[in-house]
Amino acid sequence: MRLALWQGTSPAADIDAACAEAESALAAASALGAAALVLPEIWLPGYNQPDIPARALPLDSPPLRRLAAAARHHSTALVTGYAERDGDRLYNSAACFGPDGALLCNYRKVQLYGPREQALYTTGDRLPIFRIGEETAAILICYDVEFAPHVKSVSDRGATVILCPTANMLPFTHVADHTVPAMAANHGLAIAYANYCGTEGDLTYTGRSTIAGPHGEILARAAETPALLVADIPRRDPARLSTQSADLKVL
């Protein structure tokens, strides 16, 4: 499977610009043969924007329908983070539209980070898995992927790739550099970790978006500026795959 991710600056609540940038990245990823493209966390309207409750979008909103149509047009799956409104509740969500534009998964973040997220969003309660082509995928969002039990849960149910929108900020450079590759290696799956770069309000993002392979190898890594990463996920080598999940002794 060939995976792509887009590392960009926050669209700063310009929804039309956010969709146009996603369409441009999707066109490039498709031209390069990627099966899926991952965008950062809360790409719509931007992770650290003010008045998120007023800017949150239902899943069937025109911007998300536009991105679903783009996925269909380019025959490439798309994962986008967004602030989801469902009635009176808000969720930190990520939707995956398949290469035919159909909704494959709408995931709601389980591990809300810090007091701001915890005040804004309702906690998700499911870790779904779904198929993209020949791979079994899961979505985890930012802080979720730092928790080994969540990675183990989706791996134990057959996930071979995690698609991870993120908004990782300074000083937490260790997450992309060390945590993501270690989680990939320890659970025998690939992780596409799509971050922002630049600044947004009082946050400076680390950039350093990463695609890690199932043996912990760094397949692609961005620096601190906008970048499209594309990498082929290698076949999992049974001789190199970790057996930690099966070997775990629960005390």
Side-chain angles (χ1 to χ4, degrees):
M1 183 183 196
R2 181 168 292 177
L3 281 179
L5 63 78
W6 172 246
Q7 174 175 289
T9 59
S10 170
D14 187 335
I15 297 296
D16 185 65
C19 289
E21 191 168 325
E23 288 164 342
S24 178
L26 192 61
S30 176
L32 292 168
L37 173 74
V38 187
L39 301 175
E41 182 178 7
I42 310 288
W43 183 248
L44 305 174
Y47 176 79
N48 198 33
Q49 289 301 296
D51 201 14
I52 287 288
R55 302 180 190 277
L57 300 167
L59 179 59
D60 64 350
S61 61
L64 287 160
R65 291 201 301 269
R66 176 177 171 180
L67 294 183
R72 181 175 64 251
H73 177 74
H74 293 291
S75 300
T76 301
L78 175 67
V79 177
T80 183
Y82 74 110
E84 180 189 3
R85 175 170 290 284
D86 184 5
D88 293 333
R89 294 186 176 185
L90 301 183
Y91 295 91
N92 182 331
S93 296
C96 179
F97 301 106
D100 61 354
L103 180 69
L104 297 180
C105 182
N106 187 57
Y107 171 71
R108 294 167 170 174
K109 188 175 183 180
V110 169
Q111 295 294 156
L112 298 175
Y113 176 76
R116 177 177 177 271
E117 284 193 22
Q118 292 168 14
L120 280 172
Y121 301 112
T122 298
T123 302
D125 60 5
R126 296 174 56 244
L127 296 171
I129 60 173
F130 56 99
R131 296 286 293 180
I132 295 182
E134 296 181 355
E135 302 292 335
T136 300
I139 299 173
L140 296 179
I141 298 176
C142 197
Y143 199 33
D144 288 330
V145 83
E146 300 179 45
F147 288 79
H150 299 328
V151 182
K152 174 176 166 57
S153 173
V154 298
S155 175
D156 284 354
R157 287 181 286 131
T160 53
V161 60
I162 290 175
L163 309 170
C164 185
T166 188
N168 184 241
M169 69 287 289
L170 290 175
F172 305 114
T173 56
H174 70 279
V175 179
D177 289 354
H178 304 296
T179 304
V180 167
M183 289 293 182
N186 288 348
H187 298 91
L189 41 67
I191 301 176
Y193 185 79
N195 197 16
Y196 289 98
C197 56
T199 61
E200 184 182 23
D202 60 350
L203 299 181
T204 298
Y205 297 110
T206 65
R208 304 187 69 75
S209 294
T210 299
I211 302 177
H215 317 105
E217 60 272 66
I218 305 300
L219 301 172
R221 173 166 286 157
E224 288 76 40
T225 54
L228 176 71
L229 299 186
V230 180
D232 290 321
I233 305 305
R235 292 188 180 275
R236 300 196 301 167
D237 180 355
R240 297 177 63 194
L241 287 177
S242 170
T243 60
Q244 288 184 9
S245 187
D247 295 343
L248 176 67
K249 305 298 183 186
V250 178
L251 302 178

